[in-house]
Amino acid sequence: MMRRVLLAANWKMFKTVPAALAFGRELLRRYDVDHFSAIDVMIFPTALALWPLSQRFAGSPIQIGAQNLDLGTEGALTGALSGYLLREAGAEYVLVGHSERRQHFGEDDELVATKVQAAISAHLHPILCVGETAEEREREETLAIMRRQIGAVLPGLGSQDAIKLTVAYEPVWAIGSGKVPTAQDANRAAAAIRHQLGERFSPELADRIRILYGGSVSPKNVREFIEAPDIDGALVGGASLNLETMVAMMESLAH
Ligand code: PGA
């Protein structure tokens, strides 16, 4: 099964709307459709920039996603952004359970599972983020932690939902730290995720689900991760904020 390579840019709480639009304009100028035809490029800007950026990318292959969603559709929930609103603002994908959401916003496995279902109900494609902390890694609990994080989400998903799922393996200690696991270690984690998906659904279905690596990905190392057999793309924070490093990563994946 050939899974298309995905380069997903997580901009976190960076870039004003004008800065996001300027980046979008320049990215489109540099985006040669034929040259980059083998990869999918996706941007996760702040929620404020979703609509303007989706308008800018309209008619181009570059896709847009949100970094988080709240539960519900519409209602008296001050400050909340539902999957429905994000979808109507141009998002096609949504990150769920990013470690920064788990750490700073108290999101636990149960809430993450509910959010994955809410994303699917809102016709968004969820990218479920999982990964161990440094302490968990030292205790050699990496695979057990991921098994728990993914195991919380899978019971609520049918096969039709699972096809829409992407999983991102992001070791917490690698995010924004400049430290990375070896491609072999990252692949071991990705293979374990695929195995668990295969147990829940079928190996054939698991074979169709994209698994990304994230954490200090850069133009220097992105290719190595992608070449690992169970890793189908990268979720990139810091290095995606700069146009030159973003284009350099696209270049290194394009051939
Ligand atoms: P980083 O972030 O590339 O800056 O390490 C990755 C992420 O948090 O998705």
Side-chain angles (χ1 to χ4, degrees), residues 79-104:
L81 292 172
S82 66
Y84 164 72
L85 293 179
L86 298 167
R87 167 86 218 181
E88 292 298 306
E92 291 178 73
Y93 287 75
V94 62
L95 304 180
V96 184
H98 187 281
S99 68
E100 287 151 18
R101 301 291 315 172
R102 294 179 193 256
Q103 269 185 323
H104 305 297

mmCIF file of all heavy atoms in Angstrom, residues 79-104:
data_model
loop_
_atom_site.group_PDB
_atom_site.id
_atom_site.type_symbol
_atom_site.label_atom_id
_atom_site.label_comp_id
_atom_site.label_asym_id
_atom_site.label_seq_id
_atom_site.Cartn_x
_atom_site.Cartn_y
_atom_site.Cartn_z
ATOM 1 N N GLY A 79 -15.986 31.570 24.150
ATOM 2 C CA GLY A 79 -14.577 31.317 23.844
ATOM 3 C C GLY A 79 -14.310 30.019 23.115
ATOM 4 O O GLY A 79 -13.165 29.772 22.711
ATOM 5 N N ALA A 80 -15.327 29.195 22.932
ATOM 6 C CA ALA A 80 -15.085 27.872 22.343
ATOM 7 C C ALA A 80 -15.162 27.896 20.820
ATOM 8 O O ALA A 80 -15.833 28.738 20.219
ATOM 9 C CB ALA A 80 -16.103 26.881 22.902
ATOM 10 N N LEU A 81 -14.462 26.959 20.196
ATOM 11 C CA LEU A 81 -14.467 26.812 18.736
ATOM 12 C C LEU A 81 -14.756 25.358 18.400
ATOM 13 O O LEU A 81 -13.929 24.483 18.640
ATOM 14 C CB LEU A 81 -13.095 27.205 18.161
ATOM 15 C CG LEU A 81 -12.723 28.687 18.253
ATOM 16 C CD1 LEU A 81 -11.275 28.890 17.841
ATOM 17 C CD2 LEU A 81 -13.651 29.522 17.382
ATOM 18 N N SER A 82 -15.925 25.109 17.872
ATOM 19 C CA SER A 82 -16.304 23.727 17.571
ATOM 20 C C SER A 82 -15.711 23.267 16.242
ATOM 21 O O SER A 82 -15.301 24.081 15.403
ATOM 22 C CB SER A 82 -17.822 23.622 17.482
ATOM 23 O OG SER A 82 -18.286 24.357 16.362
ATOM 24 N N GLY A 83 -15.721 21.958 16.056
ATOM 25 C CA GLY A 83 -15.288 21.389 14.782
ATOM 26 C C GLY A 83 -16.097 21.946 13.629
ATOM 27 O O GLY A 83 -15.563 22.222 12.545
ATOM 28 N N TYR A 84 -17.387 22.116 13.854
ATOM 29 C CA TYR A 84 -18.265 22.662 12.813
ATOM 30 C C TYR A 84 -17.800 24.051 12.386
ATOM 31 O O TYR A 84 -17.671 24.336 11.183
ATOM 32 C CB TYR A 84 -19.703 22.707 13.352
ATOM 33 C CG TYR A 84 -20.638 23.585 12.564
ATOM 34 C CD1 TYR A 84 -21.080 23.191 11.301
ATOM 35 C CD2 TYR A 84 -21.065 24.806 13.086
ATOM 36 C CE1 TYR A 84 -21.940 24.022 10.577
ATOM 37 C CE2 TYR A 84 -21.921 25.617 12.367
ATOM 38 C CZ TYR A 84 -22.352 25.229 11.107
ATOM 39 O OH TYR A 84 -23.191 26.039 10.393
ATOM 40 N N LEU A 85 -17.498 24.917 13.368
ATOM 41 C CA LEU A 85 -17.058 26.278 13.030
ATOM 42 C C LEU A 85 -15.705 26.259 12.316
ATOM 43 O O LEU A 85 -15.476 27.027 11.375
ATOM 44 C CB LEU A 85 -16.967 27.149 14.289
ATOM 45 C CG LEU A 85 -18.288 27.470 14.992
ATOM 46 C CD1 LEU A 85 -18.037 28.329 16.231
ATOM 47 C CD2 LEU A 85 -19.258 28.190 14.046
ATOM 48 N N LEU A 86 -14.828 25.374 12.773
ATOM 49 C CA LEU A 86 -13.498 25.283 12.151
ATOM 50 C C LEU A 86 -13.613 24.789 10.718
ATOM 51 O O LEU A 86 -12.968 25.296 9.796
ATOM 52 C CB LEU A 86 -12.601 24.342 12.970
ATOM 53 C CG LEU A 86 -12.324 24.805 14.409
ATOM 54 C CD1 LEU A 86 -11.718 23.675 15.222
ATOM 55 C CD2 LEU A 86 -11.417 26.031 14.415
ATOM 56 N N ARG A 87 -14.465 23.799 10.534
ATOM 57 C CA ARG A 87 -14.690 23.229 9.200
ATOM 58 C C ARG A 87 -15.252 24.308 8.248
ATOM 59 O O ARG A 87 -14.800 24.463 7.113
ATOM 60 C CB ARG A 87 -15.654 22.047 9.336
ATOM 61 C CG ARG A 87 -16.252 21.512 8.081
ATOM 62 C CD ARG A 87 -15.369 20.483 7.415
ATOM 63 N NE ARG A 87 -15.426 20.653 5.978
ATOM 64 C CZ ARG A 87 -14.792 19.913 5.087
ATOM 65 N NH1 ARG A 87 -14.010 18.936 5.482
ATOM 66 N NH2 ARG A 87 -14.889 20.137 3.819
ATOM 67 N N GLU A 88 -16.226 25.051 8.761
ATOM 68 C CA GLU A 88 -16.828 26.112 7.944
ATOM 69 C C GLU A 88 -15.837 27.249 7.689
ATOM 70 O O GLU A 88 -16.017 28.036 6.772
ATOM 71 C CB GLU A 88 -18.101 26.650 8.617
ATOM 72 C CG GLU A 88 -19.245 25.639 8.634
ATOM 73 C CD GLU A 88 -19.698 25.230 7.233
ATOM 74 O OE1 GLU A 88 -20.007 26.124 6.435
ATOM 75 O OE2 GLU A 88 -19.721 24.014 6.935
ATOM 76 N N ALA A 89 -14.802 27.340 8.529
ATOM 77 C CA ALA A 89 -13.771 28.370 8.330
ATOM 78 C C ALA A 89 -12.662 27.875 7.413
ATOM 79 O O ALA A 89 -11.667 28.570 7.204
ATOM 80 C CB ALA A 89 -13.198 28.802 9.675
ATOM 81 N N GLY A 90 -12.810 26.651 6.879
ATOM 82 C CA GLY A 90 -11.844 26.180 5.881
ATOM 83 C C GLY A 90 -10.952 25.038 6.325
ATOM 84 O O GLY A 90 -10.161 24.523 5.535
ATOM 85 N N ALA A 91 -11.047 24.629 7.598
ATOM 86 C CA ALA A 91 -10.196 23.521 8.063
ATOM 87 C C ALA A 91 -10.706 22.193 7.499
ATOM 88 O O ALA A 91 -11.915 21.960 7.435
ATOM 89 C CB ALA A 91 -10.189 23.453 9.583
ATOM 90 N N GLU A 92 -9.783 21.355 7.083
ATOM 91 C CA GLU A 92 -10.155 19.998 6.667
ATOM 92 C C GLU A 92 -9.624 18.974 7.667
ATOM 93 O O GLU A 92 -10.127 17.869 7.760
ATOM 94 C CB GLU A 92 -9.587 19.699 5.282
ATOM 95 C CG GLU A 92 -10.259 20.525 4.187
ATOM 96 C CD GLU A 92 -9.655 20.240 2.829
ATOM 97 O OE1 GLU A 92 -9.919 19.164 2.280
ATOM 98 O OE2 GLU A 92 -8.891 21.103 2.352
ATOM 99 N N TYR A 93 -8.569 19.353 8.361
ATOM 100 C CA TYR A 93 -7.924 18.479 9.340
ATOM 101 C C TYR A 93 -7.932 19.167 10.699
ATOM 102 O O TYR A 93 -8.158 20.379 10.793
ATOM 103 C CB TYR A 93 -6.475 18.189 8.913
ATOM 104 C CG TYR A 93 -6.398 17.239 7.745
ATOM 105 C CD1 TYR A 93 -6.695 17.657 6.452
ATOM 106 C CD2 TYR A 93 -6.051 15.910 7.943
ATOM 107 C CE1 TYR A 93 -6.646 16.777 5.378
ATOM 108 C CE2 TYR A 93 -5.990 15.017 6.875
ATOM 109 C CZ TYR A 93 -6.292 15.457 5.605
ATOM 110 O OH TYR A 93 -6.235 14.576 4.556
ATOM 111 N N VAL A 94 -7.670 18.401 11.746
ATOM 112 C CA VAL A 94 -7.523 19.018 13.069
ATOM 113 C C VAL A 94 -6.572 18.165 13.918
ATOM 114 O O VAL A 94 -6.660 16.937 13.919
ATOM 115 C CB VAL A 94 -8.898 19.203 13.765
ATOM 116 C CG1 VAL A 94 -9.616 17.879 14.017
ATOM 117 C CG2 VAL A 94 -8.752 19.972 15.076
ATOM 118 N N LEU A 95 -5.632 18.840 14.579
ATOM 119 C CA LEU A 95 -4.763 18.136 15.521
ATOM 120 C C LEU A 95 -5.564 17.870 16.785
ATOM 121 O O LEU A 95 -6.284 18.745 17.263
ATOM 122 C CB LEU A 95 -3.548 18.998 15.900
ATOM 123 C CG LEU A 95 -2.652 19.516 14.772
ATOM 124 C CD1 LEU A 95 -1.501 20.343 15.358
ATOM 125 C CD2 LEU A 95 -2.098 18.357 13.947
ATOM 126 N N VAL A 96 -5.434 16.665 17.317
ATOM 127 C CA VAL A 96 -6.125 16.342 18.567
ATOM 128 C C VAL A 96 -5.119 15.713 19.530
ATOM 129 O O VAL A 96 -4.361 14.816 19.147
ATOM 130 C CB VAL A 96 -7.316 15.367 18.334
ATOM 131 C CG1 VAL A 96 -8.068 15.137 19.645
ATOM 132 C CG2 VAL A 96 -8.273 15.901 17.279
ATOM 133 N N GLY A 97 -5.115 16.222 20.769
ATOM 134 C CA GLY A 97 -4.263 15.630 21.800
ATOM 135 C C GLY A 97 -2.794 15.951 21.664
ATOM 136 O O GLY A 97 -1.936 15.188 22.133
ATOM 137 N N HIS A 98 -2.480 17.090 21.028
ATOM 138 C CA HIS A 98 -1.068 17.496 20.988
ATOM 139 C C HIS A 98 -0.547 17.580 22.423
ATOM 140 O O HIS A 98 -1.282 17.969 23.338
ATOM 141 C CB HIS A 98 -0.936 18.853 20.284
ATOM 142 C CG HIS A 98 0.492 19.238 20.055
ATOM 143 N ND1 HIS A 98 1.276 19.766 21.044
ATOM 144 C CD2 HIS A 98 1.281 19.133 18.948
ATOM 145 C CE1 HIS A 98 2.499 19.980 20.567
ATOM 146 N NE2 HIS A 98 2.519 19.605 19.295
ATOM 147 N N SER A 99 0.712 17.255 22.638
ATOM 148 C CA SER A 99 1.231 17.185 24.015
ATOM 149 C C SER A 99 1.107 18.525 24.736
ATOM 150 O O SER A 99 0.969 18.560 25.958
ATOM 151 C CB SER A 99 2.673 16.697 24.026
ATOM 152 O OG SER A 99 3.507 17.657 23.443
ATOM 153 N N GLU A 100 1.150 19.641 23.974
ATOM 154 C CA GLU A 100 0.981 20.945 24.636
ATOM 155 C C GLU A 100 -0.451 21.115 25.144
ATOM 156 O O GLU A 100 -0.673 21.769 26.156
ATOM 157 C CB GLU A 100 1.384 22.073 23.675
ATOM 158 C CG GLU A 100 2.896 22.119 23.502
ATOM 159 C CD GLU A 100 3.373 22.640 22.164
ATOM 160 O OE1 GLU A 100 2.597 23.298 21.453
ATOM 161 O OE2 GLU A 100 4.545 22.368 21.824
ATOM 162 N N ARG A 101 -1.411 20.524 24.461
ATOM 163 C CA ARG A 101 -2.796 20.537 24.952
ATOM 164 C C ARG A 101 -2.914 19.646 26.191
ATOM 165 O O ARG A 101 -3.602 19.973 27.146
ATOM 166 C CB ARG A 101 -3.781 20.043 23.883
ATOM 167 C CG ARG A 101 -3.823 20.821 22.574
ATOM 168 C CD ARG A 101 -4.396 22.202 22.685
ATOM 169 N NE ARG A 101 -5.598 22.292 23.470
ATOM 170 C CZ ARG A 101 -6.164 23.471 23.806
ATOM 171 N NH1 ARG A 101 -5.641 24.615 23.402
ATOM 172 N NH2 ARG A 101 -7.249 23.494 24.546
ATOM 173 N N ARG A 102 -2.237 18.512 26.145
ATOM 174 C CA ARG A 102 -2.306 17.596 27.299
ATOM 175 C C ARG A 102 -1.625 18.236 28.508
ATOM 176 O O ARG A 102 -2.133 18.167 29.629
ATOM 177 C CB ARG A 102 -1.627 16.265 26.952
ATOM 178 C CG ARG A 102 -2.355 15.466 25.846
ATOM 179 C CD ARG A 102 -1.595 14.161 25.557
ATOM 180 N NE ARG A 102 -2.032 13.482 24.338
ATOM 181 C CZ ARG A 102 -2.807 12.397 24.312
ATOM 182 N NH1 ARG A 102 -3.252 11.853 25.425
ATOM 183 N NH2 ARG A 102 -3.114 11.841 23.156
ATOM 184 N N GLN A 103 -0.463 18.889 28.285
ATOM 185 C CA GLN A 103 0.323 19.465 29.385
ATOM 186 C C GLN A 103 -0.281 20.745 29.952
ATOM 187 O O GLN A 103 -0.374 20.900 31.153
ATOM 188 C CB GLN A 103 1.726 19.831 28.878
ATOM 189 C CG GLN A 103 2.746 18.727 29.045
ATOM 190 C CD GLN A 103 4.129 19.206 28.638
ATOM 191 O OE1 GLN A 103 4.286 19.984 27.689
ATOM 192 N NE2 GLN A 103 5.142 18.737 29.351
ATOM 193 N N HIS A 104 -0.616 21.680 29.064
ATOM 194 C CA HIS A 104 -0.994 23.022 29.540
ATOM 195 C C HIS A 104 -2.500 23.238 29.626
ATOM 196 O O HIS A 104 -2.942 24.224 30.187
ATOM 197 C CB HIS A 104 -0.389 24.098 28.624
ATOM 198 C CG HIS A 104 1.094 23.981 28.481
ATOM 199 N ND1 HIS A 104 1.947 24.137 29.553
ATOM 200 C CD2 HIS A 104 1.887 23.707 27.418
ATOM 201 C CE1 HIS A 104 3.196 23.964 29.141
ATOM 202 N NE2 HIS A 104 3.182 23.688 27.856
#
